Each structure stands twice: as structure tokens, then as C-alpha cells.
């Protein structure tokens, strides 16, 4: 029996001999996630046109535009993170549902938007962060007089990879009751509180890699906001250029205020308020302030997931 016949015989039994092919058994593989910058000046006009094509509740679930990473289009914004901008006109609602992916919303513009999470109505002002952990019922609406926009962040690429992606629309209308019970976790982080914490942090210490940075954490347990995703608010102060480092995690940033540049793997991305950008795993990156006012960045990062797997490494 020659090798070819032997391999065919293995195959008959559902076996494979990887050593019969050349190359190492476990090969290094570079990330396909690309550094990418999405400009608000390009997003906003396209978002404002979207109601002509899609109406939530009428044929469509939600009116969103996804941040599509050209390196991993099937995974969305990064290989682990899905970012989208959701847009609702005054009076519109997005139907109730739940799903296995964990999700978060970071409010961008407009007053009067709300999300109901398991019966708790959260009115979202710009800069507010609201969580919808795995399998919690949620629905959205806009009770204001202007369009509202927010960033959706989901770990759906991870859940999809785990082959347990499930999404259930709610068939029966349920009464929206304030549960009255002690909420298992904080789901609404208000902008004023987060911003105050950031300013307090600026008084005490800064990171050489991120300048002034705070992580949103569960006030009861200290846990990251979601098991897979951590959220951060950071300030790059005038005149600051941070040191470069690399992390095995990846990040999607939203520029809340100000201007700056992030150099990712030797390419410089100049950002302004409203822009989004992604830092792929293991890509060296640093931030530099531009302009006069402090720059403020919100980010979602898959650091908790990597920690849970024992795979978080950081180096400079
Ligand atoms: O609004 O609950 O961007 O379920 C993707 C999936 C938003 C949402 C997204 C979702 C939602
Ligand atoms: Fe959802």
C-alpha cells in the first residue's frame, strides 16, 4: 500500500493525516481584519437617505447601516465585533426581539430615543451607553421630534462562530412593566457620570498608551459591561502623542469629540468628531491629538473575551 492508498483508506474511516501534506501542523495566520476609518461626513448623508429604502416594522426589522470591514466582510467590523449605526425617525419604533448575541448601544445624536430592556425603559441621551445582554428582550423607539442615531455594538461574529446564533421576534405583545425587582446588572450608563469619571481620572493618572482612560464597569461586581466586550471612554489631551503598543484584542472606536490621528501598523488615520475606526488584533497603534479641544473617544473592545480564554497579550 502506498501513501496515497493509505490516505484514501484513512478517509474511508473519517480520518485525516495532516503530516501527509507539507507545512507545519499548526500554521501562523495573520489577521484579515483591516485597519479602517469610517467618516461621519460620508455616513450621515447616506443615513439620512435610508428611510426611503427601509422602514422598521414594515418589512424590515431595523434601519441600520453596518460598519463593514473590507478584510472580513462576513464578520462585520472586526472578526469579533459588529458595529452598526441605527437611525429612527420621530414616532418610529423597532420591534421587540431577543437574541443570543450580547449587544450595546452608544447614543450618538438626537433626543427622545429609548430602548426597553426586559420591561425597563431607558431614555437615551447622547453619550449614554445601554446594554442588552444575551437573550434579554429589547425594543426601541423615537419619541422625540428629530431623527435619532446610535451605535449598535454586538458580539454576533463570535456567537455565529460558536454556531449558536439565535434570534427570536416577540410574537405576543407583553405589558411593559417596571420589574420593581433588583436589576441583575446595570444596563444604563449615563453620559454625565461617565464624563465626570473621565475628568476625575485626568486629575489622577494617565496611561502612556491611551492617555486618560476609564472602563465602564458594573458598579456591583466590577465586571466588564458584557462578558465578551469591554467599553471605554478616553481623552487624548492637547499636545499628547501616546506610545505605540499592540494587543491581541481588537477595538472599534467612535470619536465623540475633537480631532486626532491614530497610526495603525504604520498607516496614519486622521479622525474628526463622529468618525469610527477599527484597530485589528496585534496591530501596533498610537494616538495623537490634533486641534485645540481635548479629543474624546468611546470604544468597544473584545478584551474580556480574550482574558476569559487566557489569550490577552499586550506588548510595546
Ligand atoms: O437594534 O436590537 O445593529 O438586534 C443588529 C441586531 C441592532 C437591535 C443591530 C440587533 C439590533
Ligand atoms: Fe437586537
Amino acid at each position: 500500500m502506498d501513501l496515497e492508498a493509505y490516505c484514501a483508506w484513512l478517509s474511508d474511516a473519517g480520518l485525516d493525516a495532516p503530516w501527509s501534506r507539507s507545512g507545519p501542523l499548526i500554521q501562523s495566520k495573520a489577521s484579515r481584519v483591516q485597519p479602517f476609518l469610517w467618516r461621519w461626513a460620508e455616513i450621515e448623508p447616506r443615513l439620512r437617505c435610508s428611510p426611503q429604502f427601509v422602514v422598521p416594522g414594515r418589512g424590515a426589522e431595523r434601519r441600520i447601516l453596518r460598519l463593514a470591514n473590507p478584510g472580513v466582510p462576513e464578520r462585520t467590523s472586526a472578526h469579533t465585533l459588529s458595529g452598526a449605526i441605527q437611525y429612527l425617525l420621530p414616532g418610529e419604533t423597532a420591534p421587540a426581539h431577543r437574541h443570543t448575541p450580547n449587544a450595546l448601544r452608544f447614543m450618538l445624536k438626537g433626543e427622545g430615543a429609548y430602548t426597553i430592556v426586559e420591561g425597563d425603559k431607558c431614555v437615551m441621551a447622547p453619550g449614554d451607553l445601554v446594554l442588552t445582554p444575551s437573550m434579554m428582550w429589547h425594543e426601541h423607539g423615537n419619541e422625540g421630534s428629530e431623527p435619532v442615531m446610535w451605535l449598535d455594538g454586538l458580539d454576533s461574529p463570535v456567537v455565529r462562530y460558536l454556531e449558536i446564533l439565535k434570534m427570536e421576534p416577540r410574537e405576543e405583545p407583553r405589558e411593559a412593566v417596571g420589574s420593581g425587582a433588583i436589576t441583575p446588572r446595570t444596563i444604563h450608563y449615563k453620559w454625565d457620570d461617565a464624563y465626570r469619571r473621565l475628568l476625575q481620572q485626568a486629575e489622577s493618572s494617565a496611561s502612556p498608551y491611551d492617555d486618560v482612560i476609564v472602563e465602564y464597569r458594573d458598579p456591583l461586581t466590577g465586571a466588564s459591561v458584557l462578558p465578551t466586550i469591554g467599553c471605554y471612554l478616553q481623552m487624548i489631551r492637547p499636545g499628547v502623542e501616546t506610545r505605540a503598543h499592540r494587543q491581541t484584542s481588537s477595538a472599534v472606536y467612535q470619536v465623540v469629540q475633537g480631532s486626532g490621528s491614530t497610526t495603525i501598523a504604520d498607516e496614519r488615520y486622521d479622525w474628526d468628531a463622529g468618525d469610527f475606526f477599527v484597530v485589528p488584533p496585534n496591530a501596533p497603534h498610537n494616538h495623537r491629538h490634533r486641534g485645540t479641544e481635548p479629543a474624546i473617544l468611546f470604544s468597544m473592545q473584545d478584551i474580556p473575551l480574550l482574558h476569559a480564554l487566557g489569550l490577552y497579550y499586550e506588548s510595546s
Side-chain angles (χ1 to χ4, degrees):
M1 179 162 53
D2 63 7
L3 179 61
E4 201 180 323
Y6 176 65
C7 287
W9 191 41
L10 290 177
S11 178
D12 289 344
L15 299 170
D16 173 54
W19 41 258
S20 65
R21 298 179 293 276
S22 60
L25 287 187
I26 296 181
Q27 274 172 290
S28 297
K29 177 174 165 289
S31 175
R32 289 175 300 129
V33 179
Q34 288 176 21
F36 200 83
L37 174 70
W38 293 266
R39 294 187 190 284
W40 185 247
E42 295 195 332
I43 297 170
E44 191 174 15
R46 288 163 173 82
L47 207 50
R48 295 211 183 263
C49 259
S50 61
Q52 280 176 248
F53 303 100
V54 55
V55 178
R58 275 196 259 145
E61 288 171 50
R62 267 161 285 289
R63 185 187 292 123
I64 60 168
L65 296 181
R66 285 204 172 123
L67 301 173
N69 189 300
V72 285
E74 75 290 4
R75 301 271 185 76
T76 324
S77 317
H79 60 309
T80 51
L81 298 166
S82 183
I85 298 118
Q86 189 156 167
Y87 188 67
L88 280 184
L89 297 177
E92 286 185 332
T93 58
H97 64 280
R98 63 179 185 173
H99 38 66
T100 45
N102 291 282
L104 62 91
R105 306 184 207 276
F106 182 69
M107 194 65 202
L108 302 174
K109 281 184 201 300
E111 300 286 343
Y114 67 84
T115 289
I116 300 172
V117 186
E118 290 287 338
D120 274 343
K121 183 172 176 179
C122 304
V123 176
M124 303 186 288
D128 285 6
L129 172 67
V130 172
L131 310 175
T132 54
S134 180
M135 291 313 276
M136 286 203 173
W137 290 107
H138 55 284
E139 61 192 278
H140 322 295
N142 178 3
E143 295 177 320
S145 55
E146 51 184 344
V148 294
M149 307 164 209
W150 64 76
L151 169 68
D152 289 317
L154 289 91
D155 61 6
S156 48
V158 176
V159 180
R160 181 179 294 281
Y161 173 78
L162 295 173
E163 305 277 346
I164 49 170
L165 197 106
K166 188 171 87 171
M167 149 85 192
E168 284 177 36
R170 193 161 70 210
E171 313 291 353
E172 315 263 286
R174 295 199 323 176
E175 273 177 56
V177 283
S179 57
I182 296 166
T183 331
R185 58 185 310 158
T186 300
I187 54 166
H188 192 174
Y189 295 79
K190 298 218 161 70
W191 168 254
D192 287 347
D193 297 330
Y195 186 57
R196 192 178 325 113
R197 290 293 293 274
L198 183 66
L199 294 180
Q200 278 167 5
Q201 182 65 26
E203 298 294 306
S204 53
S205 68
S207 149
Y209 307 107
D210 286 301
D211 203 22
V212 181
I213 187 163
V214 289
E215 183 180 358
Y216 297 77
R217 281 177 184 269
D218 188 300
L220 292 177
T221 64
S224 56
V225 290
L226 295 170
T228 44
I229 305 177
C231 288
Y232 301 81
L233 194 63
Q234 79 190 79
M235 174 160 62
I236 315 291
R237 295 168 295 179
V240 168
E241 173 160 11
T242 65
R243 282 176 56 190
H245 70 159
R246 45 204 282 165
Q247 297 159 280
T248 50
S249 52
S250 52
V252 175
Y253 286 86
Q254 199 264 339
V255 183
V256 178
Q257 166 193 305
S259 301
S261 309
T262 297
T263 299
I264 309 168
D266 293 331
E267 183 99 24
R268 198 179 92 188
Y269 298 86
D270 292 338
W271 38 258
D272 298 294
D275 293 354
F276 300 86
F277 60 93
V278 62
V279 177
N282 280 328
H285 58 280
N286 82 316
H287 309 293
R288 183 146 62 94
H289 180 268
R290 274 192 296 120
T292 48
E293 62 174 349
I296 296 181
L297 301 173
F298 169 84
S299 63
M300 52 178 176
Q301 312 203 25
D302 58 8
I303 291 177
L305 174 65
L306 284 145
H307 271 304
L309 299 175
L311 292 173
Y312 182 75
Y313 301 104
E314 194 179 337
S315 61
S316 46

